[in-house]
């Protein structure tokens, strides 16, 4: 077992290049929206998170569209099953968390290693070709996630507080509608979220 020999305290303060913008907590930097990746959750709420390793996906849109179609359905079903296990096995921490699972069934499927994916495609991070490639990839990923939640909602029922009229007022959901989704059911109140991974 090791033994502590010496402690040296470094009192040098180095500036951190971070920023906080009041009210909306985001800003544009080199045409990239920079924001806090955490979504707001109430004190007793919870969100089940997972991430796909983007570097493992094809850089060819035809190929990654097929890959995302398969993974979108799988990951939403998996995350919803985690919510169901919390309820079945009573592993939630508080009665309020149980209520949040029943009424919202939050889950967040995100991405990691996007830089590796860009590198494989010879795209430059922060440049137009890289931004466009990421945008198309993430749009397809979100489409497949929300499509899977709609199908799962039809199969098992929508989340407890689902109200189609209110839900479709969301600007993000309106984008999904323009891509062809119809929100007659919805198993989870949300599907995508980038965890701080």
């Amino acid at each position: 077992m090791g033994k502590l020999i010496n402690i040296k305290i470094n009192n040098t303060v180095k500036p951190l290049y971070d920023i906080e913008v009041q009210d909306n907590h985001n800003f544009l930097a080199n045409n990239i929206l920079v924001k806090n990746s955490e979504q707001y959750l109430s004190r007793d709420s919870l969100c089940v998170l997972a991430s796909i390793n983007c570097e493992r996906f094809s850089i060819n849109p035809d190929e990654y569209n097929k890959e995302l179609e398969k993974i979108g359905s799988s990951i939403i079903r998996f995350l919803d099953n985690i919510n169901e296990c919390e309820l079945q096995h009573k592993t939630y921490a508080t009665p309020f968390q149980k209520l949040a699972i029943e009424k919202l069934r939050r889950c967040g499927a995100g991405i990691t290693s996007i830089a590796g994916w860009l590198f494989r495609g010879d795209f430059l991070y922060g440049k137009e070709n890289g931004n466009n490639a990421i945008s198309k990839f993430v749009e397809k990923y979100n489409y497949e996630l929300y499509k899977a939640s709609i199908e799962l909602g039809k199969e098992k029922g929508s989340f407890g507080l689902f109200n189609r009229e209110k839900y479709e007022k969301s600007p993000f959901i309106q984008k999904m509608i323009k891509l062809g989704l119809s929100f007659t059911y919805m198993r989870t109140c949300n599907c995508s979220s980038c965890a701080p991974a």
Side-chain angles (χ1 to χ4, degrees):
M1 186 163 179
K3 182 176 170 185
L4 181 63
I5 299 172
N6 188 2
I7 296 176
K8 182 179 177 185
I9 298 174
N10 184 349
N11 289 325
T12 307
V13 177
K14 294 183 180 179
L16 295 176
Y17 297 95
D18 200 356
I19 188 169
E20 181 177 330
V21 178
Q22 275 187 315
D23 301 324
N24 64 4
H25 303 286
N26 65 58
F27 58 96
L28 285 176
N30 295 330
N31 272 344
I32 299 172
L33 179 64
V34 180
K35 69 180 199 81
N36 181 349
S37 67
E38 294 290 318
Q39 63 176 278
Y40 171 78
L41 295 176
S42 63
R43 183 176 60 101
D44 288 304
S45 196
L46 64 156
C47 186
V48 179
L49 302 171
S51 296
I52 60 169
N53 181 353
C54 293
E55 191 173 358
R56 308 294 281 173
F57 285 79
S58 172
I59 56 167
N60 178 306
D62 291 334
E63 291 176 22
Y64 74 64
N65 283 340
K66 290 176 188 170
E67 294 168 343
L68 290 172
E69 187 175 333
K70 186 174 184 179
I71 198 71
S73 177
S74 298
I75 201 166
I76 287 299
R77 189 169 289 274
F78 171 75
L79 292 172
D80 185 64
N81 284 339
I82 292 172
N83 276 324
E84 193 58 35
C85 282
E86 291 272 353
L87 294 172
Q88 294 292 325
H89 299 289
K90 300 181 175 143
T91 53
Y92 42 83
T94 70
F96 299 109
Q97 285 187 345
K98 176 187 179 203
L99 188 63
I101 296 169
E102 291 171 339
K103 299 298 181 187
L104 298 172
R105 302 187 77 86
R106 285 183 185 275
C107 66
I111 60 173
T112 190
S113 195
I114 196 73
W117 184 79
L118 288 170
F119 181 76
R120 286 183 50 236
D122 201 25
F123 300 120
L124 295 175
Y125 183 82
K127 297 295 182 185
E128 189 173 350
N129 71 343
N131 292 348
N132 289 339
I134 292 170
S135 185
K136 289 175 185 171
F137 183 92
V138 170
E139 181 180 80
K140 177 63 174 173
Y141 185 42
N142 276 307
Y143 174 87
E144 294 301 338
L145 294 172
Y146 280 80
K147 177 183 169 194
S149 186
I150 291 166
E151 291 169 358
L152 198 55
K154 187 174 184 179
E155 178 187 328
K156 295 184 173 186
S158 295
F159 67 90
L161 292 176
F162 179 65
N163 176 311
R164 181 179 183 179
E165 186 178 318
K166 288 181 180 179
Y167 199 75
E168 289 182 342
K169 288 183 180 177
S170 159
F172 176 79
I173 295 302
Q174 289 173 13
K175 286 181 187 177
M176 294 290 104
I177 291 168
K178 287 179 184 172
L179 293 175
L181 294 179
S182 178
F183 289 87
T184 49
Y185 300 91
M186 194 65 188
R187 181 66 173 167
T188 58
C189 72
N190 61 299
C191 298
S192 59
S193 181
C194 284

